[in-house]
Each structure stands twice: as C-alpha cells, then as structure tokens.
Amino acid sequence: MTVNLKPFDNQLTATKPSTRTSAIPGSRYIPVNYRRILCIFPKYTPSFGTFHHAYPLTGKVKAFMPPQGILVIAAYLPQEWDVRFVDENIKPATLRDYRWCDVVIVSGMHIQRSQINQINELAHIQGKITIVGGPSVSGCPEYYPDFDILSLGELGDATDKLIIYLDQNNQPPTQQIRFETQERLPLTEFPTPAYHCKRFVILW
C-alpha cells in the first residue's frame, strides 16, 4: 500500500532553490539547493533471527522490527528537501522511485548485505548518488566498496558534514568518500523517527 503524506511536484528539478527559511532542530544547516532523497531499508534475508517462519502465525506481519535508524536519519534531513522512505520488507522500491530522487540512502545489518549492494547497483544504473550507513557498514566498511559515500558511526558531526556535501554536490563523486562520526549528537537532540511526518511518502 502506498500512503501519500505529502504531494510531490513532478516538475521540480534537482537545482530548485528552497523557499523555506528554517531547518529542523539539530540539523544546524539551511541548504541552498533543493534535493530529493530516497531512503531505502532493504528486505531481510529469511533466517531464524528475523523470525521469518513465524510471520504466517501473526496474520499481516511482514517484518520483525521497524527500521528505526534510517527513519531517524530521514527525520534529521533538512525540511527543505523532499524525502521518500521505502521499507522493502513491505514493498520494493520501484524504477519510478529511483528516477525521482537525486540521492539514495540505505541502511542495514550484515544479514541484509546482499540486498544493500543490489540497491546500490540499481541506483547507479540511474546515475544517482548512493550512501550507506548503519551497523553493517560501520562495522565492516570493506563490505561496500562500490557505494559513493559511507556514513560511519552514529548520528552526529559526520551527518552534518554529509548534509552539507549533498547540498553542494549533485553528481556521484569520482572516488568513495567516508564521513565518520567523531562527536555524537546527544540523545536528547535526536529527532523522533519519521513515522508520521507529513513531508514523507511512506510506502507501506
């Protein structure tokens, strides 16, 4: 099921300047350029640890936990940008989603490694900037040599630098870039995960 929580103007371009004047609390940065961000949480590989075989016993359950981390990142991005979130445990991202965006952000665990790299390939076919963050890449960055940008560690100063980079660049880099958190954002400043934020299209 697709729930449109905010209409999107298909005529907007990646260079459209923002008309808003404030960023969300904690972002500390007001972007100059308009961006479309596609956040994707990959499908889990069936396993004992994800309780895959128990889903039929629960009715409509399709995944064993909500993707909290990438939803926090989605909420932290500047409100001047449009964001779509897709949980591929519910429904895969479509070609239309990839064509719509400027940047694809992925997060996941080791069990999702194959799917994470597949998303990277699909995004690169469409010429999009790709970013991977989360526990898998933070623990083993060598697993993801083909991503454009690695976001290592938790939400913090590296996230702010990443946002500035995306504002200033709209083409994939010539070599991989790493942003690693040195100063973690205090937990009291974390945004609420983007469950109900009206600026998101959530494909559930």
Side-chain angles (χ1 to χ4, degrees):
M1 179 176 68
T2 300
V3 181
N4 290 307
L5 299 182
K6 177 183 175 181
F8 288 90
D9 182 355
N10 291 329
Q11 302 304 313
L12 294 174
T13 65
T15 57
K16 177 183 175 181
S18 169
T19 58
R20 303 185 189 180
T21 58
S22 62
I24 60 173
S27 69
R28 307 183 188 90
Y29 182 76
I30 301 174
V32 174
N33 297 297
Y34 173 79
R35 296 286 182 258
R36 289 172 166 172
I37 312 296
L38 177 62
C39 295
I40 303 177
F41 190 69
K43 187 176 180 64
Y44 286 110
T45 299
S47 71
F48 175 80
T50 58
F51 304 102
H52 176 78
H53 298 293
Y55 297 168
L57 303 176
T58 59
K60 297 182 179 180
V61 171
K62 295 184 178 180
F64 84 109
M65 63 183 296
Q68 297 272 28
I70 196 168
L71 285 171
V72 169
I73 295 298
Y76 190 78
L77 293 170
Q79 65 178 355
E80 290 82 2
W81 294 351
D82 279 328
V83 178
R84 287 185 181 180
F85 169 72
V86 179
D87 184 350
E88 294 205 316
N89 293 283
I90 309 301
K91 182 179 180 180
T94 65
L95 179 59
R96 184 176 180 179
D97 292 319
Y98 284 106
R99 288 177 174 173
W100 167 85
C101 70
D102 303 304
V103 179
V104 175
I105 298 178
V106 192
S107 178
M109 298 182 284
H110 288 337
I111 197 170
Q112 297 161 291
R113 176 183 174 185
S114 176
Q115 293 88 322
I116 291 172
N117 281 316
Q118 183 180 29
I119 291 169
N120 180 65
E121 293 174 7
L122 293 173
H124 275 165
I125 289 173
Q126 300 301 320
K128 309 303 180 178
I129 297 173
T130 60
I131 302 168
V132 59
S136 182
V137 68
S138 295
C140 297
E142 66 274 13
Y143 283 178
Y144 305 100
D146 297 326
F147 270 83
D148 296 320
I149 299 173
L150 306 186
S151 179
L152 308 177
E154 298 187 62
L155 187 65
D157 57 342
T159 316
D160 294 331
K161 293 175 183 177
L162 173 60
I163 290 172
I164 294 171
Y165 177 87
L166 294 177
D167 184 31
Q168 297 175 349
N169 299 272
N170 63 358
Q171 296 295 323
T174 56
Q175 60 183 8
Q176 189 177 81
I177 299 172
R178 295 189 180 192
F179 293 96
E180 186 167 3
T181 297
Q182 303 298 322
E183 183 179 348
R184 182 180 180 274
L185 188 72
L187 188 60
T188 54
E189 297 182 23
F190 270 45
T192 301
Y195 293 127
H196 306 296
C197 186
K198 292 184 179 180
R199 66 190 179 91
F200 294 90
V201 169
I202 300 182
L203 305 182
W204 280 357

